[in-house]
Amino acid sequence: MKTIDAKDMHYKDLNEMIKELVNSGEDVINLKNVNGQRYIGDNLNGNTKINIEGTPGNDLAAFMDGLTIEVFGNGQDAIGNTMNDGSIIVHGHVGDVVGYGMRGGSMYIKSDAGYRVGIHMKQYNDKVPVVVIGGTPGDFFGEYMAGGCMIVLNLSNKKDIVGEYCGTGMHGGVIYLRCNDVEDYKLGKEVIKEEATEDDLKEISKYIKNFSSYFKYDYDKIMNHKFIKLHPAGHRPYGKLYA
Amino acid sequence: MSLNYLTPEFKVLRDYDKCINCKVCMRQCANEVHSYDEDLGKMVADDYKCVNCQRCVVMCPTHALTIVKHPQVFRENANWTYDAIRDIYRQAETGGVLLSAMGNDRPYPIYWDKMVINASQVTNPSIDPLREPMELKIFIGRKPDKIELDENLNVKTKMPPQLTLNYPIMFSAMSYGSISYNAHASLARAAKELGIYYNTGEGGLHKDFRKYGPNTIVQVASGRFGVDREYLKTAAAVEIKIGQGAKPGIGGHLPGEKVSEDISETRMIPVGSDAISPAPHHDIYSIEDLSQLIYSLKEATDYKKPVGVKIAAVNNVAAIASGIARAGADYIAIDGFRGGTGAAPKRIRDNVGIPIEFAIASVDSRLRSEGIRHTISLIAAGSIRSSADIVKAIALGADAVYIGSAALIALGCHMCQQCYTGKCNWGIATQDPNLVKRLNPEIGYKRLVNLITAWGHEIQEMLGGMGINDIESLKGNRLMLRGIGMTQKELDVLGILAAGE
């Protein structure tokens, strides 16, 4: 275990130190006083666990391929950008464009997320990315979504579980919303809305279990609610567009 | 179903004195134009299906075939042209967006052809490249503000990462998916042989071509297809694709039927799924956001690889380029409105964007006036047809050029502009294994090497004629150009004088 005090450090210097430790196989790195430093975990692979105290900057875990990053605070924009594998746990809320083009790994957000979350999230073979949001996300949730699974729990019982344009251009993957219903006008026309079946809930139970254990929630309380499932009508949303 | 009003575009003329009914044409045509009529005992053709790719013409052992523009005409009308009428028929029939491929084919002025190149006479001697050294090597990347030397006169300044090119020419981004495996194999191998670079496009890097990594530029586009650690590690440079000249401002769809097993693996998406590239990168809505991705990629590659940005040439290209330079990019590739594509909506291809000649000139001028030209290399693209176009592009201010269409023509493309159908009879823009094998990469790469080597000789001759012995000395040297048949405004934007001035 190594501890780095990131106070007043430039991201380049900080990331160089982290990279060196991760490449040498360090099992746990504790980062203290992180204050907006970008690109932490960028393109790293391995089994290191990084604990972050403070607020990491944009592009946290971009291109990341392995590692576990736990943030004891809030996250900013573009977390998990084009991420391939690994796991991110944020004990707070996160900004915009989270999980953009994410191909694998998992992300657990305790509270809310910003706009454009999970845009063009995809999946390939055994790689199925998962994003669980304890609060609610903003507009354009899952736009162009091509694979993976996103779950919104709305544990704070906000009026709107998602913003507008949810699942616009969606052509793969699945979205679960813990709510009784969601207004059709908020959904992309490529999306089919259904009530989640028991099999569906069994499918997502492991993610909810992880979420409950990370953030100390009662699993049964979360699951004891109706879930709406959104999935794409087809894998070829624009197949008939051309002459 | 209503009547289809379309008439054929081309007519297949068969010289029956020469035809030996060998059926080569029938086997060669993926569009199924040719067939053998048992009753008539001879080969016949369905003109409706012909796209004039000339595969049958070239392959016919007795040279019995000629394809001509179909003589059927509408009543002459300068306004309602044949194309305009046909397009309406097609859209009335299908309700769909018109697709097109390769570059803008409309009769806009071609400014390369309105510029002429200088040569030395009497006052400074011309140089003979056959007997004297003539440098074509260039370096793509950010150059330092100044060079510092230590006491032993060794360079102390740390150079930012550079790409070294033996010719000021690279193969433009064309994805695996839009073009075939064998086309990629030809480009990659030729790039290695020539000491230049090819570009994977946005469709990922096939595992077989990782060995060409030192000569490979990989793209990170809005769909992020195939982008992972291995991809970034293998490449010599990373290019963020914002736009392309054939379709500025819009994204792209590789239709699901083209996502085969192999393409699925390379793009890392499921077989048969549409590969959709959103119009913007949704993590880039500003220059600051662009800078964020540039540095994310620099962090990912340990600041050891140039990170470039490719944009389409549009109205405010100079200001955008300045922003890209300030965002930290190592090079900017600008693709003019004649740039090629495997598929683009026809109206976009033919009407959006500006000519590369103006874009390069105005970007170079802007960056110079801001004192930041050295901080970024400039690559011109969007219909470079010959070595003369390259010399003119560099004299206008480019460091190097990207060629796409020209490279495909070297591989056998006959410009039938039907790439989006996936039925390329030359094995280039297709994923049909029976068509792909028609392009032999062993021959293909040699043809590309021949083309670039030949252009290299021609560039050397033109440089020598100007009394210049290094391509770097031509860069932005607009006094070496003169304009013919242009307005004063056009000359001013290009920053050149009129012929005779």
Side-chain angles (χ1 to χ4, degrees):
Chain A
M1 184 185 315
K2 285 273 164 37
T3 300
I4 301 171
D5 186 351
K7 189 168 164 42
D8 296 337
M9 266 177 102
H10 190 271
Y11 69 75
K12 205 175 157 185
D13 302 321
L14 175 62
N15 289 328
E16 219 167 282
M17 288 174 78
I18 296 170
K19 196 173 279 188
E20 216 164 277
L21 288 171
V22 169
N23 289 342
S24 70
E26 186 62 51
D27 55 349
V28 178
I29 304 172
N30 294 314
L31 304 180
K32 307 264 183 208
N33 299 313
V34 173
N35 190 8
Q37 282 95 344
R38 291 179 171 187
Y39 315 121
I40 294 173
D42 187 334
N43 202 33
L44 296 182
N45 75 334
N47 299 313
T48 309
K49 165 96 193 282
I50 301 179
N51 295 313
I52 299 177
E53 282 177 29
T55 308
N58 295 351
D59 267 340
L60 173 76
F63 310 107
M64 192 169 81
D65 190 21
L67 276 73
T68 299
I69 295 183
E70 189 158 5
V71 181
F72 297 92
N74 298 320
Q76 294 194 341
D77 295 346
I79 301 174
N81 193 345
T82 322
M83 173 171 151
N84 200 53
D85 202 1
S87 161
I88 299 167
I89 302 153
V90 182
H91 292 261
H93 58 76
V94 296
D96 299 337
V97 211
V98 169
Y100 183 67
M102 186 175 169
R103 188 187 302 116
S106 62
M107 199 179 322
Y108 294 88
I109 314 293
K110 183 176 181 182
S111 172
D112 297 337
Y115 294 114
R116 296 179 261 148
V117 171
I119 292 191
H120 217 305
M121 203 162 124
K122 39 179 81 73
Q123 68 185 53
Y124 177 63
N125 288 348
D126 58 330
K127 295 215 170 296
V128 182
V130 177
V131 172
V132 185
I133 296 167
T136 57
D139 294 349
F140 305 103
F141 185 63
E143 192 182 16
Y144 295 106
M145 189 167 168
C149 174
M150 295 210 286
I151 304 167
V152 180
L153 300 176
N154 191 15
L155 296 174
S156 49
N157 289 318
K158 284 210 188 111
K159 186 175 138 285
D160 297 309
I161 187 153
V162 288
E164 296 191 25
Y165 308 103
C166 174
T168 310
M170 186 172 177
H171 54 292
V174 58
I175 293 174
Y176 291 97
L177 305 175
R178 184 175 167 274
C179 61
N180 293 322
D181 197 10
V182 57
E183 301 91 324
D184 288 334
Y185 78 87
K186 287 183 177 169
L187 306 179
K189 59 184 184 301
E190 299 83 2
V191 165
I192 290 175
K193 179 175 82 174
E194 286 171 352
E195 187 178 346
T197 63
E198 244 170 67
D199 284 348
D200 291 332
L201 295 178
K202 219 153 79 192
E203 194 66 33
I204 63 169
S205 65
K206 55 181 180 288
Y207 308 132
I208 307 295
K209 272 181 192 146
N210 288 342
F211 182 90
S212 316
S213 85
Y214 293 147
F215 304 124
K216 311 276 178 285
Y217 279 106
D218 182 348
Y219 167 80
D220 295 321
K221 238 181 180 167
I222 294 176
M223 291 305 275
N224 188 21
H225 198 288
K226 187 172 160 183
F227 279 77
I228 295 288
K229 176 185 182 181
L230 307 177
H231 62 97
H235 299 293
R236 304 281 323 273
Y238 306 116
K240 292 202 176 72
L241 185 61
Y242 300 106
Chain B
M1 176 111 180
S2 66
L3 191 63
N4 183 343
Y5 296 151
L6 293 174
T7 51
E9 278 185 276
F10 304 103
K11 190 168 177 61
V12 181
L13 302 181
R14 189 184 314 269
D15 185 340
Y16 283 106
D17 289 341
K18 288 181 176 174
C19 179
I20 53 172
N21 292 335
C22 69
K23 299 183 188 166
V24 163
C25 50
M26 193 171 112
R27 286 191 295 274
Q28 289 292 328
C29 184
N31 297 304
E32 299 173 329
V33 170
H34 304 277
S35 59
Y36 182 71
D37 190 313
E38 296 282 350
D39 295 338
L40 296 173
K42 60 180 187 178
M43 298 300 299
V44 292
D46 182 355
D47 293 339
Y48 276 92
K49 294 176 178 167
C50 180
V51 299
N52 194 13
C53 76
Q54 297 174 21
R55 177 79 186 179
C56 59
V57 176
V58 172
M59 298 305 285
C60 176
T62 61
H63 307 299
L65 291 167
T66 309
I67 313 289
V68 294
K69 199 171 168 181
H70 204 285
Q72 179 60 52
V73 290
F74 292 102
R75 178 184 282 265
E76 209 153 287
N77 190 323
N79 182 39
W80 285 103
T81 59
Y82 177 80
D83 275 352
I85 296 170
R86 267 181 76 85
D87 285 348
I88 288 180
Y89 286 156
R90 282 171 63 199
Q91 294 194 290
E93 178 93 14
T94 61
V97 171
L98 293 169
L99 272 182
S100 63
M102 299 313 285
N104 186 338
D105 63 1
R106 301 283 88 197
Y108 291 97
I110 299 169
Y111 288 89
W112 299 130
D113 297 341
K114 293 169 178 266
M115 286 184 276
V116 287
I117 299 164
N118 194 29
S120 301
Q121 297 291 294
V122 185
T123 51
N124 66 327
S126 47
I127 303 168
D128 183 351
L130 295 177
R131 275 167 286 279
E132 293 180 69
M134 181 65 68
E135 191 64 82
L136 291 187
K137 184 174 277 197
I138 63 137
F139 301 91
I140 297 288
R142 172 176 288 257
K143 307 297 183 289
D145 294 338
K146 58 182 178 192
I147 301 284
E148 285 183 292
L149 305 176
D150 65 16
E151 56 275 16
N152 299 320
L153 301 183
N154 292 320
V155 177
K156 228 167 44 176
T157 310
K158 202 169 163 281
M159 272 302 273
Q162 307 285 324
L163 296 180
T164 306
L165 279 69
N166 287 341
Y167 299 87
I169 305 167
M170 301 194 284
F171 298 130
S172 204
M174 291 176 276
S175 72
Y176 177 42
S178 74
I179 59 171
S180 67
Y181 178 96
N182 284 352
H184 255 224
S186 306
L187 291 165
R189 189 157 166 200
K192 186 180 173 200
E193 184 87 3
L194 290 160
I196 60 170
Y197 297 82
Y198 87 109
N199 189 313
T200 60
E202 57 182 293
L205 174 63
H206 194 284
K207 56 183 185 305
D208 294 355
F209 303 142
R210 284 191 194 141
K211 61 182 175 203
Y212 298 111
N215 297 89
T216 304
I217 298 175
V218 297
Q219 264 193 348
V220 173
S222 63
R224 303 287 155 87
F225 298 115
V227 180
D228 68 355
R229 263 175 73 80
E230 190 66 30
Y231 185 73
L232 299 175
K233 198 172 102 188
T234 308
V238 184
E239 182 172 289
I240 299 171
K241 181 199 174 181
I242 299 293
Q244 81 183 74
K247 38 181 167 176
I250 69 164
H253 310 153
L254 184 72
E257 61 256 28
K258 288 192 187 175
V259 181
S260 63
E261 195 72 51
D262 212 30
I263 286 177
S264 133
E265 188 181 337
T266 306
R267 295 198 176 214
M268 301 183 199
I269 53 167
V271 175
S273 159
D274 267 6
I276 298 177
S277 290
H281 290 243
H282 282 286
D283 53 346
I284 303 176
Y285 285 7
S286 66
I287 289 291
E288 290 77 9
D289 288 350
L290 175 68
S291 183
Q292 183 177 311
L293 185 62
I294 290 171
Y295 279 93
S296 190
L297 289 166
K298 282 176 185 271
E299 281 278 329
T301 52
D302 298 328
Y303 296 86
K304 286 181 182 149
K305 298 176 183 185
V307 176
V309 177
K310 178 178 177 178
I311 57 166
V314 290
N315 297 3
N316 292 320
V317 68
I320 297 161
S322 167
I324 292 171
R326 291 168 195 281
D330 296 280
Y331 73 82
I332 170 169
I334 305 175
D335 198 9
F337 79 155
R338 280 205 178 75
T341 178
K346 185 175 179 179
R347 297 297 171 235
I348 304 254
R349 185 196 73 170
D350 293 351
N351 297 283
V352 181
I354 65 169
I356 187 60
E357 299 92 324
F358 289 115
I360 284 296
S362 65
V363 167
D364 180 69
S365 300
R366 174 75 175 250
L367 298 181
R368 279 172 197 271
S369 73
E370 293 180 2
I372 55 171
R373 178 65 184 86
H374 67 285
T375 66
I376 195 156
S377 292
L378 216 51
I379 300 167
S383 206
I384 301 287
R385 303 159 302 165
S386 69
S387 58
D389 290 353
I390 297 174
V391 167
K392 292 169 189 176
I394 292 174
L396 286 177
D399 287 81
V401 301
Y402 261 141
I403 61 165
S405 301
L408 298 190
I409 292 170
L411 290 176
C413 165
H414 279 59
M415 274 287 159
C416 72
Q417 307 185 27
Q418 304 294 308
C419 315
Y420 57 89
T421 63
K423 291 184 187 168
C424 177
N425 276 317
W426 296 94
I428 300 167
T430 179
Q431 302 307 322
D432 178 339
N434 290 319
L435 299 176
V436 172
K437 70 182 179 199
R438 292 180 182 180
L439 175 60
N440 181 344
E442 286 289 329
I443 297 168
Y445 100 88
K446 280 185 196 147
R447 292 179 63 89
L448 290 166
V449 170
N450 283 344
L451 177 74
I452 304 303
T453 314
W455 284 10
H457 286 309
E458 291 177 341
I459 293 169
Q460 287 182 329
E461 288 285 359
M462 281 183 266
L463 286 177
M466 287 182 264
I468 293 173
N469 63 3
D470 183 353
I471 190 85
E472 292 273 7
S473 305
L474 178 67
K475 188 166 70 183
N477 194 344
R478 299 189 197 175
L479 284 171
M480 292 297 124
L481 297 175
R482 288 292 188 274
I484 292 178
M486 281 192 252
T487 64
Q488 187 57 49
K489 188 72 190 173
E490 287 167 332
L491 290 168
D492 290 347
V493 175
L494 291 170
I496 62 172
L497 298 170
E501 271 192 284

